[in-house]
Amino acid sequence: MKRGLFYVVSGLVVAGFSSGGIPLASAQQDKYPSKAVEIIIPYDPGGPTDRVTRVIGEQLPEALKASIVQINRPGGGGIAGAVFAKQQKPDGYTLLAHASGFQITPLLDRNCPYKLEEFKPLARFTQGPLVLAVKKDSPWKSVEDFLAAAKATPGKVTVGIPGVGTIQDFVVRLMERSSHSELNSIVLKGDGPNVTALLGGHIQASVAGITALAPHLRSGEVRGLAITTAERYDVFNDIPTFREKGLDEATIRAWVGIFAPANIPDDVFKVLDTALEKAATSPTTIETLKKMGTVPGYLNASDFDKSIKSEVARFKTVIKPEDVK
């Protein structure tokens, strides 16, 4: 019986097969896949994109019949990894895992070095909310307290985000606009470092994905002040929504998905489409994702593409000229 394996080579996480499975390089070099497939993760280890991708990666070798190498290339709020991925040959051997800021960054950053058209959506794996959180000993008990402090001390209240132009950055801008305040956004290399900085007292608040915050919300180490769901989130229903607080524009679902450079061959795309669906919808994957605190939300390539285009259209109605840097 074939079993997917993970092992470490030069600091990279590699998924392969046991001796009864498919070797790292097939004898049929012309048939995809005939060698290991790299997945670029444009954030540091420990954040939602990294954790979700690695869960999928545990099932993908069996589904794809190939080894998987997952490489973290953080920087620029996910931009560095995206630029690297787009520069690779569109042959299916370099894929890009990314999060919901992927489609908003080009809208907020006029100098963004990639365009959405340079990538082909392959699959969405999860969707889940963002949370404005503070440490348990913070004096702020509500989002009103938080924004009142920001208004009283312009530019002094610190809030962690994983990059300029990310979906977290967008939520911070919406809070500033609604309260006529100025926050001090501290850019960190992903939601993992963002939450770590919060726990360490290096920042006063954080806007991060539920996956990164869930363990600390459960333990009581952090307090959620507001969440981006339309209704209260059943897992943490004590956290009020931004909509309840009059910030309906911040009703946002963060997602994690995977892309390929544009112009990927149709036959390669079909192989990936089938394998990704199998990996993302396996009972083991779904159970693991739920335990992490995220919401499994698989979409195939076509539906994921439609969802992204719909989100972009919505964001264009919300983004103001002053939001674009």
Side-chain angles (χ1 to χ4, degrees), residues 5-6 58-59 79 98 102-103 107 110 118 142 147 167 177 190 197 230 236 254 259 267 276 316 319:
L5 302 175
F6 272 89
E58 291 176 356
Q59 304 297 318
I79 291 177
H98 221 304
F102 180 67
Q103 87 279 22
L107 301 179
R110 61 172 57 91
E118 294 176 298
S142 66
L147 292 177
I167 200 79
R177 186 192 304 164
F236 299 106
F259 301 79
D267 58 335
L276 288 166
K316 284 181 176 179
I319 293 172

Short mmCIF file of all heavy atoms in Angstrom, two decimals, residues 5-6 58-59 79 98 102-103 107 110 118 142 147 167 177 190 197 230 236 254 259 267 276 316 319:
data_model
loop_
_atom_site.label_atom_id
_atom_site.label_comp_id
_atom_site.label_asym_id
_atom_site.label_seq_id
_atom_site.Cartn_x
_atom_site.Cartn_y
_atom_site.Cartn_z
N LEU A 5 4.70 10.35 2.49
CA LEU A 5 5.66 10.62 3.55
C LEU A 5 6.12 12.06 3.48
O LEU A 5 6.17 12.67 2.42
CB LEU A 5 6.90 9.71 3.40
CG LEU A 5 6.67 8.20 3.40
CD1 LEU A 5 8.00 7.51 3.12
CD2 LEU A 5 6.12 7.75 4.73
N PHE A 6 6.48 12.64 4.63
CA PHE A 6 7.11 13.95 4.67
C PHE A 6 8.51 13.78 5.25
O PHE A 6 8.70 13.07 6.23
CB PHE A 6 6.32 14.91 5.58
CG PHE A 6 5.24 15.64 4.86
CD1 PHE A 6 3.97 15.09 4.77
CD2 PHE A 6 5.49 16.85 4.27
CE1 PHE A 6 2.97 15.75 4.10
CE2 PHE A 6 4.49 17.53 3.60
CZ PHE A 6 3.23 16.98 3.52
N GLU A 58 -0.04 16.96 2.67
CA GLU A 58 0.05 15.61 3.21
C GLU A 58 -0.73 14.60 2.35
O GLU A 58 -0.39 13.43 2.30
CB GLU A 58 -0.48 15.58 4.65
CG GLU A 58 0.43 16.31 5.63
CD GLU A 58 -0.16 16.35 7.03
OE1 GLU A 58 -1.30 15.87 7.21
OE2 GLU A 58 0.51 16.87 7.94
N GLN A 59 -1.76 15.08 1.68
CA GLN A 59 -2.60 14.21 0.86
C GLN A 59 -2.24 14.28 -0.63
O GLN A 59 -2.57 13.38 -1.40
CB GLN A 59 -4.08 14.60 1.02
CG GLN A 59 -4.58 14.59 2.45
CD GLN A 59 -4.52 13.22 3.08
OE1 GLN A 59 -4.85 12.21 2.44
NE2 GLN A 59 -4.07 13.16 4.32
N ILE A 79 4.21 39.32 -1.69
CA ILE A 79 4.57 39.74 -3.04
C ILE A 79 5.80 39.00 -3.55
O ILE A 79 5.84 38.55 -4.70
CB ILE A 79 4.80 41.27 -3.10
CG1 ILE A 79 3.47 42.01 -2.90
CG2 ILE A 79 5.44 41.68 -4.42
CD1 ILE A 79 3.60 43.52 -2.86
N HIS A 98 -1.44 30.88 -1.92
CA HIS A 98 -1.57 32.28 -1.51
C HIS A 98 -2.88 32.45 -0.74
O HIS A 98 -3.70 31.53 -0.65
CB HIS A 98 -1.50 33.21 -2.70
CG HIS A 98 -0.70 34.46 -2.43
ND1 HIS A 98 -0.99 35.32 -1.40
CD2 HIS A 98 0.39 34.98 -3.05
CE1 HIS A 98 -0.13 36.32 -1.39
NE2 HIS A 98 0.73 36.14 -2.39
N PHE A 102 -4.01 38.24 -2.06
CA PHE A 102 -3.43 38.09 -3.39
C PHE A 102 -4.15 38.94 -4.43
O PHE A 102 -3.52 39.56 -5.29
CB PHE A 102 -3.49 36.61 -3.79
CG PHE A 102 -2.92 36.30 -5.13
CD1 PHE A 102 -1.57 36.43 -5.38
CD2 PHE A 102 -3.74 35.86 -6.16
CE1 PHE A 102 -1.03 36.13 -6.62
CE2 PHE A 102 -3.21 35.55 -7.41
CZ PHE A 102 -1.85 35.69 -7.64
N GLN A 103 -5.48 39.00 -4.34
CA GLN A 103 -6.23 39.73 -5.35
C GLN A 103 -6.46 41.18 -4.98
O GLN A 103 -6.86 41.98 -5.83
CB GLN A 103 -7.58 39.04 -5.63
CG GLN A 103 -8.73 39.45 -4.74
CD GLN A 103 -8.72 38.73 -3.39
OE1 GLN A 103 -7.70 38.26 -2.95
NE2 GLN A 103 -9.86 38.65 -2.75
N LEU A 107 -4.79 46.07 -6.26
CA LEU A 107 -5.76 47.17 -6.24
C LEU A 107 -5.29 48.30 -5.32
O LEU A 107 -5.62 49.47 -5.55
CB LEU A 107 -7.12 46.66 -5.76
CG LEU A 107 -7.78 45.56 -6.57
CD1 LEU A 107 -9.11 45.16 -5.94
CD2 LEU A 107 -7.99 45.99 -8.02
N ARG A 110 -0.26 50.52 -6.46
CA ARG A 110 -0.14 50.78 -7.91
C ARG A 110 1.19 50.27 -8.46
O ARG A 110 1.34 50.13 -9.67
CB ARG A 110 -0.30 52.27 -8.20
CG ARG A 110 0.70 53.18 -7.55
CD ARG A 110 0.56 54.62 -8.07
NE ARG A 110 -0.77 55.15 -7.86
CZ ARG A 110 -1.14 55.83 -6.78
NH1 ARG A 110 -0.28 56.03 -5.80
NH2 ARG A 110 -2.36 56.30 -6.67
N GLU A 118 -1.57 37.12 -14.61
CA GLU A 118 -0.34 36.34 -14.79
C GLU A 118 -0.42 34.98 -14.10
O GLU A 118 0.53 34.20 -14.15
CB GLU A 118 0.86 37.13 -14.26
CG GLU A 118 1.14 38.39 -15.07
CD GLU A 118 2.26 39.23 -14.50
OE1 GLU A 118 2.14 39.70 -13.35
OE2 GLU A 118 3.27 39.41 -15.21
N SER A 142 -13.34 46.30 23.86
CA SER A 142 -14.22 46.31 22.69
C SER A 142 -13.52 47.05 21.54
O SER A 142 -12.52 47.76 21.75
CB SER A 142 -15.54 47.02 23.00
OG SER A 142 -15.31 48.40 23.26
N LEU A 147 -10.66 51.81 19.00
CA LEU A 147 -10.66 52.92 18.05
C LEU A 147 -10.68 54.27 18.76
O LEU A 147 -10.15 55.25 18.23
CB LEU A 147 -11.85 52.78 17.10
CG LEU A 147 -11.75 51.59 16.14
CD1 LEU A 147 -13.02 51.49 15.28
CD2 LEU A 147 -10.52 51.70 15.25
N ILE A 167 -5.24 41.72 2.83
CA ILE A 167 -6.62 41.87 3.27
C ILE A 167 -6.69 42.41 4.70
O ILE A 167 -7.59 43.16 5.07
CB ILE A 167 -7.37 40.51 3.14
CG1 ILE A 167 -8.87 40.74 3.11
CG2 ILE A 167 -6.96 39.54 4.21
CD1 ILE A 167 -9.40 41.18 1.80
N ARG A 177 -10.80 54.72 8.53
CA ARG A 177 -11.73 55.58 7.83
C ARG A 177 -13.03 55.76 8.61
O ARG A 177 -13.55 56.87 8.72
CB ARG A 177 -12.04 54.99 6.45
CG ARG A 177 -12.90 55.90 5.58
CD ARG A 177 -13.40 55.16 4.36
NE ARG A 177 -12.31 54.59 3.58
CZ ARG A 177 -12.47 53.66 2.65
NH1 ARG A 177 -13.67 53.18 2.41
NH2 ARG A 177 -11.45 53.21 1.97
N GLY A 190 3.78 37.63 7.76
CA GLY A 190 2.74 36.62 7.81
C GLY A 190 1.97 36.66 9.12
O GLY A 190 2.36 37.33 10.08
N ALA A 197 4.16 38.29 17.66
CA ALA A 197 4.48 39.63 18.13
C ALA A 197 3.43 40.13 19.12
O ALA A 197 3.76 40.81 20.10
CB ALA A 197 4.59 40.60 16.94
N ALA A 230 -20.28 37.77 8.56
CA ALA A 230 -21.55 38.50 8.48
C ALA A 230 -22.38 38.31 9.75
O ALA A 230 -23.03 39.23 10.24
CB ALA A 230 -22.35 38.04 7.26
N PHE A 236 -16.50 30.85 17.90
CA PHE A 236 -16.16 31.90 18.87
C PHE A 236 -17.29 32.93 18.86
O PHE A 236 -17.10 34.08 18.44
CB PHE A 236 -14.82 32.55 18.50
CG PHE A 236 -13.65 31.61 18.51
CD1 PHE A 236 -13.08 31.18 17.32
CD2 PHE A 236 -13.13 31.13 19.71
CE1 PHE A 236 -12.00 30.31 17.33
CE2 PHE A 236 -12.05 30.26 19.72
CZ PHE A 236 -11.49 29.84 18.54
N ALA A 254 -11.56 35.50 4.53
CA ALA A 254 -10.21 35.25 4.06
C ALA A 254 -10.12 33.81 3.55
O ALA A 254 -10.75 32.92 4.11
CB ALA A 254 -9.22 35.46 5.20
N PHE A 259 -2.37 28.51 -7.04
CA PHE A 259 -2.34 29.05 -8.39
C PHE A 259 -1.16 28.46 -9.16
O PHE A 259 -0.21 27.94 -8.57
CB PHE A 259 -2.17 30.57 -8.35
CG PHE A 259 -3.25 31.30 -7.62
CD1 PHE A 259 -3.25 31.35 -6.22
CD2 PHE A 259 -4.28 31.93 -8.30
CE1 PHE A 259 -4.24 32.02 -5.53
CE2 PHE A 259 -5.28 32.61 -7.61
CZ PHE A 259 -5.27 32.65 -6.23
N ASP A 267 -3.35 19.80 -20.48
CA ASP A 267 -3.25 18.44 -19.94
C ASP A 267 -2.68 18.45 -18.53
O ASP A 267 -3.11 17.67 -17.67
CB ASP A 267 -2.41 17.56 -20.87
CG ASP A 267 -1.00 18.09 -21.10
OD1 ASP A 267 -0.79 19.32 -20.98
OD2 ASP A 267 -0.10 17.27 -21.39
N LEU A 276 -5.87 17.99 -6.91
CA LEU A 276 -6.15 18.97 -5.86
C LEU A 276 -7.53 18.76 -5.24
O LEU A 276 -7.71 18.90 -4.03
CB LEU A 276 -6.01 20.38 -6.42
CG LEU A 276 -4.58 20.83 -6.71
CD1 LEU A 276 -4.57 22.08 -7.58
CD2 LEU A 276 -3.82 21.07 -5.41
N LYS A 316 -13.42 46.93 -5.59
CA LYS A 316 -13.28 48.15 -6.38
C LYS A 316 -14.35 49.18 -6.01
O LYS A 316 -14.12 50.39 -6.17
CB LYS A 316 -13.36 47.83 -7.87
CG LYS A 316 -12.09 47.21 -8.43
CD LYS A 316 -12.20 46.93 -9.92
CE LYS A 316 -10.90 46.41 -10.51
NZ LYS A 316 -11.00 46.11 -11.96
N ILE A 319 -12.85 50.48 -2.28
CA ILE A 319 -11.56 51.16 -2.23
C ILE A 319 -11.70 52.60 -2.73
O ILE A 319 -12.26 52.86 -3.79
CB ILE A 319 -10.51 50.40 -3.06
CG1 ILE A 319 -10.21 49.05 -2.40
CG2 ILE A 319 -9.22 51.21 -3.21
CD1 ILE A 319 -9.34 48.14 -3.23
#
